[in-house]
C-alpha cells in the first residue's frame, strides 16, 4: 500500500495544477501512433494531450492551473557542463508540428500556458510551485521528472504518469523511491548523476549506495567533512576524487525556485473555456467525439436573424 494520498483535501487558498508541457506532449504523441486531421496533418499528440489534461483536471478539480513549456537549456547549466542534455534526440517533426496547436487548444480552454526563451520548464515549475505554496495553496506537479522530488513538501505533491496507482506522491513516496527525504534529493542526484540529463555521477555510486551514505551522513557537506569514516577504500578514493564534480552536480540539479515570474497566481485561475473557439479547433482537427461532448452550437444573433429571414 502507498502511504501517499490519492487525493488532497482542498486548501482554503486553492489548488494549483502545474503540467510539464513537453513531457506530456511526448507522452501524448506516443500514446496514439496515428491520427490525422481531415487535411492530413498529424493530430495524435493534440488529441491525447486534450484527453490526458481533462482526466487530471476532472480528478483534481484545481482552482488554478498552468502548462509550462521548455524554452531551451539554461545558459548557466550549459556553462557548467557543455554536454548537459546533449544526448537527447531531436523532437520528432510530427510532434513539433503539433505543439503550437496544443497551445491553441489551451488558449481556447482558458488554461494558462507559458514558455520563456532560454529557460527550462523545470525552473519555472519550481518557482511557481514555491510561490503558490507560500501563498498557502496546495500544488500538484504532473510530471515523471525525478528532479521534482526535491520540491515535495506537505503542500506540494507529484502526479507521476508512470505510476499506475495514480498516487499523489508525498515525502513517504519520495523516500520509498529514492531512499532519502525530499530535502536530500539534490545531494542524492549529485552523487548518482543523471543519465537522462547526461550528468555523470561519482564512479561506483548508484542509487542505493547514495541513499545509504546520505542516511548516515545526512548531507554531502557532512559526508565530505567526515570522509575518513567511509570504510570502503575504493569508495572513499572515488569520493575524494569527485569533490569538484559533486559540487558542480549540485548546481546542475538544484531547481531555480527564485526565477522571476512575469505573471501572478491570479493569472492561473481556472476560467470558463471559449466553447466556440474549441468548436472551431475540433472541427478543423476532425475530433467528432470532442465536438459531441461540447454539446450543440450556440445560436448567435446573426444565426437567429438569418433564420427569421429564411422563414419569411
Amino acid at each position: 500500500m502507498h502511504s501517499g494520498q490519492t487525493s488532497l483535501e482542498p486548501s482554503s487558498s486553492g489548488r494549483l495544477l502545474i503540467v510539464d508541457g513537453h513531457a506530456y506532449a511526448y507522452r501524448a504523441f506516443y500514446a496514439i501512433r496515428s491520427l490525422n486531421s481531415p487535411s492530413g496533418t498529424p493530430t495524435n499528440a493534440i488529441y491525447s494531450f486534450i484527453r490526458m489534461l481533462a482526466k487530471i483536471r476532472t480528478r483534481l478539480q484545481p482552482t488554478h492551473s498552468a502548462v509550462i513549456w521548455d524554452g531551451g537549456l539554461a545558459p548557466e547549466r550549459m556553462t557548467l557542463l557543455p554536454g548537459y542534455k546533449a544526448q537527447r534526440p531531436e523532437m520528432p517533426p510530427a510532434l513539433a508540428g503539433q505543439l503550437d496547436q496544443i497551445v491553441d487548444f489551451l488558449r481556447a480552454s482558458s488554461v494558462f500556458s507559458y514558455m520563456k526563451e532560454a529557460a527550462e520548464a523545470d525552473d519555472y515549475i519550481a518557482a511557481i510551485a514555491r510561490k503558490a505554496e507560500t501563498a498557502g495553496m496546495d500544488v500538484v506537479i504532473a510530471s515523471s521528472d525525478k528532479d521534482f522530488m526535491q520540491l515535495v513538501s506537505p503542500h506540494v505533491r507529484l502526479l507521476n504518469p508512470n505510476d499506475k496507482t495514480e498516487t499523489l506522491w508525498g515525502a513517504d513516496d519520495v523516500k520509498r523511491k529514492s531512499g532519502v527525504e525530499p530535502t536530500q534529493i539534490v545531494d542524492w542526484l549529485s552523487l548518482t548523476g543523471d543519465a537522462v540529463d547526461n550528468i555523470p555521477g561519482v564512479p561506483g555510486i548508484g542509487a542505493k549506495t547514495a541513499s545509504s551514505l546520505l542516511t548516515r551522513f545526512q548531507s554531502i557537506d557532512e559526508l565530505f567533512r567526515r570522509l575518513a569514516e567511509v570504510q570502503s577504500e575504493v569508495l572513499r578514493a572515488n569520493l575524494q576524487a569527485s569533490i569538484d564534480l559533486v559540487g558542480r552536480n549540485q548546481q546542475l540539479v538544484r531547481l531555480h525556485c527564485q526565477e522571476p515570474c512575469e505573471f501572478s497566481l491570479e493569472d492561473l485561475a481556472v476560467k470558463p473555456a471559449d466553447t466556440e473557439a474549441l468548436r472551431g479547433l475540433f472541427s478543423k482537427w476532425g475530433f467528432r467525439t470532442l465536438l459531441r461532448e461540447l454539446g450543440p452550437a450556440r445560436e448567435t444573433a446573426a444565426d437567429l436573424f438569418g433564420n427569421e429571414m429564411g422563414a419569411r
Side-chain angles (χ1 to χ4, degrees):
M1 288 290 291
H2 279 252
S3 61
Q5 296 173 310
T6 56
S7 62
L8 281 172
E9 288 299 318
S11 164
S12 59
S13 299
R15 175 180 300 153
L16 169 62
L17 166 65
I18 312 176
V19 176
D20 184 347
H22 276 91
Y24 268 79
Y26 267 96
R27 191 173 187 84
F29 180 73
Y30 291 110
I32 299 177
R33 289 293 179 167
S34 179
L35 188 67
N36 296 306
S37 71
S39 66
T41 59
T43 55
N44 57 323
I46 304 168
Y47 186 82
S48 293
F49 190 98
I50 291 171
R51 286 304 199 194
M52 288 178 181
L53 182 61
K55 181 180 179 182
I56 299 172
R57 293 182 74 189
T58 297
R59 176 188 169 194
L60 296 178
Q61 294 294 304
T63 59
H64 298 68
S65 60
V67 177
I68 309 299
W69 304 90
D70 274 318
L73 298 178
E76 57 270 34
R77 291 193 178 99
M78 293 300 297
T79 299
L80 286 167
L81 180 62
Y84 177 63
K85 296 187 178 181
Q87 86 292 0
R88 292 192 177 187
E90 288 290 318
M91 179 181 293
L95 171 56
Q98 297 181 67
L99 293 185
D100 284 346
Q101 296 176 88
I102 291 175
V103 173
D104 289 342
F105 159 74
L106 293 171
R107 187 179 299 111
S109 300
S110 300
V111 174
F112 185 85
S113 176
Y114 183 80
M115 181 193 77
K116 186 176 179 65
E117 290 295 328
E120 297 182 54
D122 294 11
D123 292 322
Y124 271 87
I125 289 173
I128 297 166
R130 286 292 184 241
K131 187 173 184 178
E133 182 183 23
T134 300
M137 299 178 71
D138 286 324
V139 181
V140 176
I141 299 171
S143 177
S144 57
D145 191 332
K146 57 182 173 290
D147 288 347
F148 291 125
M149 293 194 292
Q150 66 188 268
L151 301 178
V152 168
S153 72
H155 288 284
V156 178
R157 294 182 182 272
L158 305 183
L159 178 60
N160 183 346
N162 294 331
D163 182 358
K164 303 303 182 186
T165 69
E166 298 188 339
T167 295
L168 295 180
W169 285 25
D172 288 347
D173 302 282
V174 169
K175 189 164 187 177
R176 187 176 296 106
K177 174 69 175 179
S178 65
V180 299
E181 300 292 338
T183 52
Q184 297 173 301
I185 287 293
V186 170
D187 285 356
W188 182 70
L189 288 172
S190 298
L191 290 169
T192 64
D194 188 346
V196 173
D197 291 345
N198 207 33
I199 300 174
V202 178
I205 293 188
K208 289 185 177 179
T209 301
S211 61
S212 176
L213 288 169
L214 290 171
T215 297
R216 180 180 177 190
F217 295 102
Q218 296 303 304
S219 70
I220 279 176
D221 288 347
E222 189 67 5
L223 167 61
F224 283 122
R225 193 178 72 82
R226 296 163 54 191
L227 197 55
E229 296 177 32
V230 175
Q231 293 180 338
S232 166
E233 186 176 339
V234 172
L235 181 56
R236 190 166 64 248
N238 285 345
L239 284 166
Q240 182 67 52
S242 302
I243 290 176
D244 290 342
L245 176 143
V246 172
R248 181 203 64 189
N249 285 359
Q250 287 177 302
Q251 296 180 68
L252 290 168
V253 169
R254 185 175 289 110
L255 297 179
H256 302 165
C257 294
Q258 302 305 317
E259 287 288 349
C261 294
E262 301 157 0
F263 45 84
S264 67
L265 292 175
E266 288 72 25
D267 294 327
L268 315 186
V270 170
K271 304 174 184 69
D274 183 340
T275 54
E276 296 312 304
L278 286 175
R279 199 179 307 282
L281 292 173
F282 293 166
S283 296
K284 180 178 75 171
W285 295 327
F287 295 165
R288 293 189 295 273
T289 301
L290 291 175
L291 274 171
R292 284 196 299 272
E293 291 173 3
L294 276 181
R298 174 175 55 85
E299 284 192 314
T300 64
D303 294 330
L304 292 171
F305 183 71
N307 290 338
E308 289 176 3
M309 291 296 290
R312 290 182 183 179

